[in-house]
Amino acid sequence: MSGAQTLTKSWTGNELRETFLRFFESKGHRRVRSSSLVPHGDPTLLFTNAGMNQFKDVFLGLEKRDYNRATTAQKCVRAGGKHNDLENVGFTKRHHTFFEMLGNFSFGDLPGQPGYFKKEAIAYAWELVTSPEWFGIDRTKLYATVFGGAEVSPGSTLGVDEEARGFWLEQNIRADRVFAIPGLKENFWAMGETGPCGPCSEIFYDMGPAASEEGHTDCKFPCDCGRYVEIWNLVFMQFNRDTSGTLTPLPKPCVDTGMGLERTAAVLQGVISNYETDLFVPLIESAAGLAGVDIETEKNRTYFMVGDDISSSTSAFRRGGYLPSLRIIADHSRAAAFLIADGVIPSNEARGYVLRKIVRRALLHVRFLHAAFRRAGFPFLSRIATQVVDTMGSGYPELEDSAARITRVLDEEELRFTRTIDRGFHQWEEIRERQRQDWHSSLVQELEKEKPEEGLQIDQALKRAIEGKEPRIFQEFVRKSFGPARLERFIREWNKAGKLPVSGADAFQLYDTYGLPLDFMTDLARDAGIEFDQAGFEKAMEEQRTRARASWKGGAKEAANPAYAKIAEAYRTEADFYYGTSTKDCRIEAIVTKSGAVPELKAGETGEVVLDRTVIYAESGGQVADTGAFYDPSGSQVVAEVTGAYYPVAGLIAHKVVAKETLRVGDRVAVAADAARRDLIMRNHTGTHLVHAALRNILGTHVKQAGSLNSPERLRFDFSHFAHVDPEELRDIEQQVNDEIRFNTQIETNVSSLEDALASGALAFFGDKYPEHNVRVVTIPDSRAPRGFYSKELCGGTHVHRVGDIGVLKIVSEQSVAAGVRRIEAVTGIGALEHYQQRAQMLSQIASKLNVGEDAVLATVEKLSETAKQLEKQLGDQKRKGALGQLEELAALVQIVKGVKVIAAEVPNVDREGLRQLVDSLRQKLGSGVVALGTPEDGKVALIAGVTKDLTAKVHAGKLIQAIAKQVGGSGGGRPDLAEAGGKDTLGLKSALSSIPSLLEEWL
Ligand SMILES: [Zn+2]
Ligand SMILES: [Zn+2]
């Protein structure tokens, strides 16, 4: 028999998976489907991360199955939480977010069905791995390990697993190939602090020196440099550990094994990296194709991201060009496809958050590729994920069932992320560019300080180097003038520009204003090899929180009639408006007019009335006040008309009334609010909450309420946002809001402490004052949302009963109201219907004016505007021709001021472009001189001045134009040889032009 066996065939990942399962089926195992990546009934686990997860209760004896031998190919995800390998993925050979675990399990004996333990588990493993009928892996490359003894709980030591060693030797493994590894880390397994535990045995494969991460050429097993790869771990659940740490042998010992599919595929395909197997290569190639990356070229590249440094630095981290990005995209697409298939959707919480992080990390690298090769377009990730579905769907049919959803979810996330990133990334780059420039100019200044006499030369050399994009010129100069040592130091310092950390305060601004996610920035920093100022970021965030807190506690109170302060000492108004729009038996506690508190208000007089109780909503929180009436106690006769209500001081409601009968303090009245009007207001108020939530979902959580108004006619919502909202985004917002309306959940309101309300995720409007206790929380529940609600806000307003009561919400405008503050206006219910009707009517009127059908309106208008443009152009051309016709006439107006030729004249009927051409022609005609022309046009003045180059040292056209523009109530400026201005005073034009000679008199 020859020493080295060769593999009889190359195995695809799919074949490997299937063969493993078939092998164990042939040994009496039940093939069990992979469980979901979302563990059911195990809150301790974020994602399924091992084959045994789904059998946990079976191992614990809590659950019985009708089989005692099982085999699985289990989907696993490791990202987020304890096993956070995300950062390494793509930069190593074997880190993945998603991977498959092949396993065989024995749960102890069943009547008539014996389980198995170490002996059989080892024999099965060795047969599958080495038998030419199965995987046929070269035995000379294999090693086995057994537990080498350790202190398993305080004071109790477990010795070497000689039993296992014996079973390995029974398989005819050379004794020097079986290693006992001491310690708890490698070869001892425990489910938790207590419960099943036991020794492990592992099989390792020698990938050869090429796989060593540390460049070892001749190291021996068990060196952990990467050369020796663990492919299979056999866990022998032999003991139960109790709370005192004591181990007692389990009556039914169990077996749980895990073989990593990806690494075993690497072994069977004769490659050293998992990413070179057929599980990844097609994905990487597709990504490369989409992004325009040539893989072979990248293999030889030594940088990953390029700065504009004088000489680019390299690090081990950057070996392989853009290949890490391709690997990350491939890996993360697998994870994303599988997670979405198992029902996880990107969100800001728990599993959804990890998925979002994975997807966004992949998209970040798509972005890097796009920046470098300019090919990657939308959609990117879903195309790679589709390929995952195509290649792995045979093993995991749930992928095929979810294919459409995977694409949709990924496309949505890609669009949303791209929007946020485009804005934020641009700012990030600007900050870095600014830092770089500051840094570089400080270095140049240092040089200048060292040799002040060289100052000008330094500047010029630098300028030439920058213009020619050729740093050598400058380097050459520095070497000559300052010496090679100084040059070396200079370059070293210069190159640090690429490594300047972004300050935490800047980063926080990007986060707060541009919605750039924090983890995106930390990734960006790491990938650029710079430090991220986490502490500074947190400090800036805390400062902002403090500011926000101060702003809602210290709101200034409106100056109210001083009488109210006194009234408030004795009375307060109970707010009954949450429960209806009419009530009886309310007592008039006080009446206030301009003259202060009064005992009565006569019929026809206006004043303000305080009741002990009311159903009239008083203006607050952006909701306008109700209108309504006071009635006599029987409710049949109106005694006062209520035109509004407000809080003069906290807890007291003042009704603005016009008395119809005499009102006296102590009278009892019935009160009714205009119910139909209230309904309109409520629809809009609830609509405001929906719009707020949708804005945060779609634009990002940097969106903060800056004010709102809920009136019967419309709702108005002001919010912080740095850019205008795209029509596309508006449509998304509208769609999401209306989807929520159709979902028609019942609105919940409850009262809690401010602290609890904020902790539950309720949004507070920082411009408002809230009490510490008894704040009202308005929730729009949504069982589809990860947090169980769509919107949760602190709010004292009145709301519809079910969201569906709104009917429909239509955004009618979006505009800027202040720097960084946008305003959305929308209509609901009847208001929306009226809006649609008005628009439809307008369209029909336009169509009839144009004398075309409604469908043809757009095309007709386009044609009309095209025609209008052409006519305008023709008219302009003619005017210009006419103006040029005046050239000779104007030239004749030349005057001589101190020997310089000057033309200053008014030209009628010419546009700005014509004026410019005239000035140019006159300047040429004069050869040397000053020309200033003006024209009155549509009630405004246009002025242009031109100076021939030989005179610009004395006469600056910009200064000249400023001086004359002032006389026509305008302003302007420009270059020394040509300048323009506008003005408002057409009557002043003549005298302004005639002042030119005397102005020039002074300058020449
Ligand atoms: Zn080594
Ligand atoms: Zn509200």
Side-chain angles (χ1 to χ4, degrees), residues 177-198:
R177 286 296 178 98
V178 182
F179 285 74
I181 311 281
L184 290 176
K185 205 168 144 261
E186 305 295 337
N187 284 55
F188 193 83
W189 178 90
M191 194 179 282
E193 302 269 293
T194 61
C197 61

PDB file of all heavy atoms in Angstrom, residues 177-198:
ATOM      1  N   ARG A 177       0.075   9.836  16.347  1.00  0.00           N
ATOM      2  CA  ARG A 177      -0.878  10.746  15.732  1.00  0.00           C
ATOM      3  C   ARG A 177      -2.086  11.035  16.648  1.00  0.00           C
ATOM      4  O   ARG A 177      -3.008  11.718  16.262  1.00  0.00           O
ATOM      5  CB  ARG A 177      -1.397  10.183  14.401  1.00  0.00           C
ATOM      6  CG  ARG A 177      -0.391  10.258  13.275  1.00  0.00           C
ATOM      7  CD  ARG A 177      -0.074  11.707  12.962  1.00  0.00           C
ATOM      8  NE  ARG A 177       0.926  11.848  11.921  1.00  0.00           N
ATOM      9  CZ  ARG A 177       0.622  12.093  10.639  1.00  0.00           C
ATOM     10  NH1 ARG A 177      -0.613  12.204  10.272  1.00  0.00           N
ATOM     11  NH2 ARG A 177       1.591  12.221   9.755  1.00  0.00           N
ATOM     12  N   VAL A 178      -2.080  10.467  17.843  1.00  0.00           N
ATOM     13  CA  VAL A 178      -3.170  10.731  18.784  1.00  0.00           C
ATOM     14  C   VAL A 178      -2.623  11.571  19.931  1.00  0.00           C
ATOM     15  O   VAL A 178      -1.700  11.141  20.627  1.00  0.00           O
ATOM     16  CB  VAL A 178      -3.792   9.433  19.319  1.00  0.00           C
ATOM     17  CG1 VAL A 178      -4.958   9.746  20.254  1.00  0.00           C
ATOM     18  CG2 VAL A 178      -4.255   8.551  18.163  1.00  0.00           C
ATOM     19  N   PHE A 179      -3.145  12.769  20.081  1.00  0.00           N
ATOM     20  CA  PHE A 179      -2.614  13.710  21.064  1.00  0.00           C
ATOM     21  C   PHE A 179      -3.620  13.942  22.189  1.00  0.00           C
ATOM     22  O   PHE A 179      -4.814  14.143  21.922  1.00  0.00           O
ATOM     23  CB  PHE A 179      -2.300  15.054  20.400  1.00  0.00           C
ATOM     24  CG  PHE A 179      -1.058  15.029  19.564  1.00  0.00           C
ATOM     25  CD1 PHE A 179      -1.049  14.395  18.322  1.00  0.00           C
ATOM     26  CD2 PHE A 179       0.122  15.620  20.015  1.00  0.00           C
ATOM     27  CE1 PHE A 179       0.101  14.352  17.552  1.00  0.00           C
ATOM     28  CE2 PHE A 179       1.268  15.591  19.242  1.00  0.00           C
ATOM     29  CZ  PHE A 179       1.264  14.951  18.005  1.00  0.00           C
ATOM     30  N   ALA A 180      -3.130  13.915  23.412  1.00  0.00           N
ATOM     31  CA  ALA A 180      -3.985  14.273  24.546  1.00  0.00           C
ATOM     32  C   ALA A 180      -3.762  15.754  24.840  1.00  0.00           C
ATOM     33  O   ALA A 180      -2.640  16.183  25.096  1.00  0.00           O
ATOM     34  CB  ALA A 180      -3.631  13.426  25.756  1.00  0.00           C
ATOM     35  N   ILE A 181      -4.810  16.544  24.730  1.00  0.00           N
ATOM     36  CA  ILE A 181      -4.682  17.992  24.935  1.00  0.00           C
ATOM     37  C   ILE A 181      -5.254  18.347  26.299  1.00  0.00           C
ATOM     38  O   ILE A 181      -6.459  18.214  26.525  1.00  0.00           O
ATOM     39  CB  ILE A 181      -5.465  18.777  23.856  1.00  0.00           C
ATOM     40  CG1 ILE A 181      -5.141  18.259  22.458  1.00  0.00           C
ATOM     41  CG2 ILE A 181      -5.224  20.284  23.996  1.00  0.00           C
ATOM     42  CD1 ILE A 181      -3.840  18.738  21.863  1.00  0.00           C
ATOM     43  N   PRO A 182      -4.406  18.806  27.216  1.00  0.00           N
ATOM     44  CA  PRO A 182      -4.907  19.115  28.556  1.00  0.00           C
ATOM     45  C   PRO A 182      -5.669  20.450  28.584  1.00  0.00           C
ATOM     46  O   PRO A 182      -5.539  21.255  27.666  1.00  0.00           O
ATOM     47  CB  PRO A 182      -3.639  19.186  29.397  1.00  0.00           C
ATOM     48  CG  PRO A 182      -2.553  19.525  28.433  1.00  0.00           C
ATOM     49  CD  PRO A 182      -2.976  19.033  27.081  1.00  0.00           C
ATOM     50  N   GLY A 183      -6.444  20.631  29.627  1.00  0.00           N
ATOM     51  CA  GLY A 183      -7.150  21.910  29.797  1.00  0.00           C
ATOM     52  C   GLY A 183      -8.606  21.810  29.381  1.00  0.00           C
ATOM     53  O   GLY A 183      -9.011  20.880  28.681  1.00  0.00           O
ATOM     54  N   LEU A 184      -9.370  22.816  29.826  1.00  0.00           N
ATOM     55  CA  LEU A 184     -10.818  22.809  29.567  1.00  0.00           C
ATOM     56  C   LEU A 184     -11.178  23.461  28.242  1.00  0.00           C
ATOM     57  O   LEU A 184     -12.260  23.285  27.723  1.00  0.00           O
ATOM     58  CB  LEU A 184     -11.544  23.555  30.696  1.00  0.00           C
ATOM     59  CG  LEU A 184     -11.562  22.844  32.044  1.00  0.00           C
ATOM     60  CD1 LEU A 184     -12.221  23.726  33.091  1.00  0.00           C
ATOM     61  CD2 LEU A 184     -12.293  21.507  31.927  1.00  0.00           C
ATOM     62  N   LYS A 185     -10.244  24.230  27.688  1.00  0.00           N
ATOM     63  CA  LYS A 185     -10.576  25.062  26.552  1.00  0.00           C
ATOM     64  C   LYS A 185     -10.835  24.248  25.286  1.00  0.00           C
ATOM     65  O   LYS A 185     -11.835  24.458  24.598  1.00  0.00           O
ATOM     66  CB  LYS A 185      -9.443  26.067  26.303  1.00  0.00           C
ATOM     67  CG  LYS A 185      -9.914  27.324  25.595  1.00  0.00           C
ATOM     68  CD  LYS A 185      -8.844  28.402  25.634  1.00  0.00           C
ATOM     69  CE  LYS A 185      -8.859  29.195  24.335  1.00  0.00           C
ATOM     70  NZ  LYS A 185      -7.841  28.765  23.389  1.00  0.00           N
ATOM     71  N   GLU A 186      -9.924  23.338  24.986  1.00  0.00           N
ATOM     72  CA  GLU A 186     -10.001  22.660  23.698  1.00  0.00           C
ATOM     73  C   GLU A 186     -10.867  21.405  23.714  1.00  0.00           C
ATOM     74  O   GLU A 186     -11.650  21.185  22.802  1.00  0.00           O
ATOM     75  CB  GLU A 186      -8.590  22.265  23.225  1.00  0.00           C
ATOM     76  CG  GLU A 186      -7.608  23.419  23.157  1.00  0.00           C
ATOM     77  CD  GLU A 186      -7.999  24.446  22.105  1.00  0.00           C
ATOM     78  OE1 GLU A 186      -8.737  24.087  21.168  1.00  0.00           O
ATOM     79  OE2 GLU A 186      -7.585  25.614  22.245  1.00  0.00           O
ATOM     80  N   ASN A 187     -10.688  20.571  24.708  1.00  0.00           N
ATOM     81  CA  ASN A 187     -11.290  19.241  24.603  1.00  0.00           C
ATOM     82  C   ASN A 187     -12.242  18.890  25.739  1.00  0.00           C
ATOM     83  O   ASN A 187     -12.355  17.742  26.134  1.00  0.00           O
ATOM     84  CB  ASN A 187     -10.200  18.161  24.480  1.00  0.00           C
ATOM     85  CG  ASN A 187      -9.599  18.135  23.081  1.00  0.00           C
ATOM     86  OD1 ASN A 187      -9.125  19.158  22.602  1.00  0.00           O
ATOM     87  ND2 ASN A 187      -9.657  16.981  22.421  1.00  0.00           N
ATOM     88  N   PHE A 188     -12.898  19.882  26.271  1.00  0.00           N
ATOM     89  CA  PHE A 188     -13.928  19.600  27.264  1.00  0.00           C
ATOM     90  C   PHE A 188     -15.126  20.463  26.943  1.00  0.00           C
ATOM     91  O   PHE A 188     -15.000  21.654  26.647  1.00  0.00           O
ATOM     92  CB  PHE A 188     -13.424  19.887  28.683  1.00  0.00           C
ATOM     93  CG  PHE A 188     -14.330  19.333  29.745  1.00  0.00           C
ATOM     94  CD1 PHE A 188     -14.226  17.993  30.139  1.00  0.00           C
ATOM     95  CD2 PHE A 188     -15.289  20.134  30.340  1.00  0.00           C
ATOM     96  CE1 PHE A 188     -15.076  17.477  31.105  1.00  0.00           C
ATOM     97  CE2 PHE A 188     -16.148  19.613  31.306  1.00  0.00           C
ATOM     98  CZ  PHE A 188     -16.039  18.285  31.693  1.00  0.00           C
ATOM     99  N   TRP A 189     -16.283  19.847  26.973  1.00  0.00           N
ATOM    100  CA  TRP A 189     -17.493  20.577  26.577  1.00  0.00           C
ATOM    101  C   TRP A 189     -18.513  20.581  27.708  1.00  0.00           C
ATOM    102  O   TRP A 189     -18.634  19.599  28.443  1.00  0.00           O
ATOM    103  CB  TRP A 189     -18.110  19.904  25.345  1.00  0.00           C
ATOM    104  CG  TRP A 189     -19.392  20.545  24.893  1.00  0.00           C
ATOM    105  CD1 TRP A 189     -19.532  21.562  24.011  1.00  0.00           C
ATOM    106  CD2 TRP A 189     -20.714  20.211  25.324  1.00  0.00           C
ATOM    107  NE1 TRP A 189     -20.861  21.885  23.865  1.00  0.00           N
ATOM    108  CE2 TRP A 189     -21.609  21.066  24.666  1.00  0.00           C
ATOM    109  CE3 TRP A 189     -21.222  19.261  26.220  1.00  0.00           C
ATOM    110  CZ2 TRP A 189     -22.989  21.010  24.849  1.00  0.00           C
ATOM    111  CZ3 TRP A 189     -22.602  19.213  26.413  1.00  0.00           C
ATOM    112  CH2 TRP A 189     -23.480  20.095  25.730  1.00  0.00           C
ATOM    113  N   ALA A 190     -19.198  21.708  27.885  1.00  0.00           N
ATOM    114  CA  ALA A 190     -20.269  21.770  28.880  1.00  0.00           C
ATOM    115  C   ALA A 190     -21.409  22.599  28.312  1.00  0.00           C
ATOM    116  O   ALA A 190     -21.186  23.597  27.643  1.00  0.00           O
ATOM    117  CB  ALA A 190     -19.766  22.403  30.176  1.00  0.00           C
ATOM    118  N   MET A 191     -22.641  22.158  28.593  1.00  0.00           N
ATOM    119  CA  MET A 191     -23.797  22.891  28.066  1.00  0.00           C
ATOM    120  C   MET A 191     -23.941  24.229  28.774  1.00  0.00           C
ATOM    121  O   MET A 191     -24.378  25.205  28.204  1.00  0.00           O
ATOM    122  CB  MET A 191     -25.064  22.062  28.227  1.00  0.00           C
ATOM    123  CG  MET A 191     -26.242  22.587  27.418  1.00  0.00           C
ATOM    124  SD  MET A 191     -27.724  21.584  27.599  1.00  0.00           S
ATOM    125  CE  MET A 191     -27.397  20.190  26.543  1.00  0.00           C
ATOM    126  N   GLY A 192     -23.568  24.245  30.053  1.00  0.00           N
ATOM    127  CA  GLY A 192     -23.645  25.480  30.829  1.00  0.00           C
ATOM    128  C   GLY A 192     -22.896  25.284  32.131  1.00  0.00           C
ATOM    129  O   GLY A 192     -22.085  24.358  32.249  1.00  0.00           O
ATOM    130  N   GLU A 193     -23.162  26.161  33.091  1.00  0.00           N
ATOM    131  CA  GLU A 193     -22.523  26.031  34.408  1.00  0.00           C
ATOM    132  C   GLU A 193     -22.849  24.671  35.013  1.00  0.00           C
ATOM    133  O   GLU A 193     -22.027  24.046  35.658  1.00  0.00           O
ATOM    134  CB  GLU A 193     -23.038  27.128  35.351  1.00  0.00           C
ATOM    135  CG  GLU A 193     -22.809  28.535  34.840  1.00  0.00           C
ATOM    136  CD  GLU A 193     -21.494  29.101  35.319  1.00  0.00           C
ATOM    137  OE1 GLU A 193     -21.367  29.328  36.528  1.00  0.00           O
ATOM    138  OE2 GLU A 193     -20.600  29.304  34.469  1.00  0.00           O
ATOM    139  N   THR A 194     -24.111  24.272  34.818  1.00  0.00           N
ATOM    140  CA  THR A 194     -24.532  22.959  35.312  1.00  0.00           C
ATOM    141  C   THR A 194     -25.098  22.193  34.128  1.00  0.00           C
ATOM    142  O   THR A 194     -25.302  22.747  33.060  1.00  0.00           O
ATOM    143  CB  THR A 194     -25.637  23.102  36.383  1.00  0.00           C
ATOM    144  OG1 THR A 194     -26.764  23.743  35.775  1.00  0.00           O
ATOM    145  CG2 THR A 194     -25.166  23.930  37.564  1.00  0.00           C
ATOM    146  N   GLY A 195     -25.354  20.895  34.326  1.00  0.00           N
ATOM    147  CA  GLY A 195     -25.960  20.092  33.273  1.00  0.00           C
ATOM    148  C   GLY A 195     -24.946  19.196  32.581  1.00  0.00           C
ATOM    149  O   GLY A 195     -23.829  18.996  33.091  1.00  0.00           O
ATOM    150  N   PRO A 196     -25.319  18.666  31.417  1.00  0.00           N
ATOM    151  CA  PRO A 196     -24.447  17.702  30.729  1.00  0.00           C
ATOM    152  C   PRO A 196     -23.087  18.305  30.382  1.00  0.00           C
ATOM    153  O   PRO A 196     -22.998  19.482  30.032  1.00  0.00           O
ATOM    154  CB  PRO A 196     -25.210  17.371  29.448  1.00  0.00           C
ATOM    155  CG  PRO A 196     -26.618  17.781  29.700  1.00  0.00           C
ATOM    156  CD  PRO A 196     -26.573  18.891  30.694  1.00  0.00           C
ATOM    157  N   CYS A 197     -22.048  17.479  30.486  1.00  0.00           N
ATOM    158  CA  CYS A 197     -20.706  17.899  30.086  1.00  0.00           C
ATOM    159  C   CYS A 197     -19.884  16.651  29.822  1.00  0.00           C
ATOM    160  O   CYS A 197     -20.334  15.536  30.105  1.00  0.00           O
ATOM    161  CB  CYS A 197     -20.068  18.779  31.157  1.00  0.00           C
ATOM    162  SG  CYS A 197     -19.871  17.954  32.738  1.00  0.00           S
ATOM    163  N   GLY A 198     -18.706  16.852  29.276  1.00  0.00           N
ATOM    164  CA  GLY A 198     -17.860  15.689  29.022  1.00  0.00           C
ATOM    165  C   GLY A 198     -16.692  16.003  28.113  1.00  0.00           C
ATOM    166  O   GLY A 198     -16.574  17.114  27.591  1.00  0.00           O
TER     167      GLY A 198
END
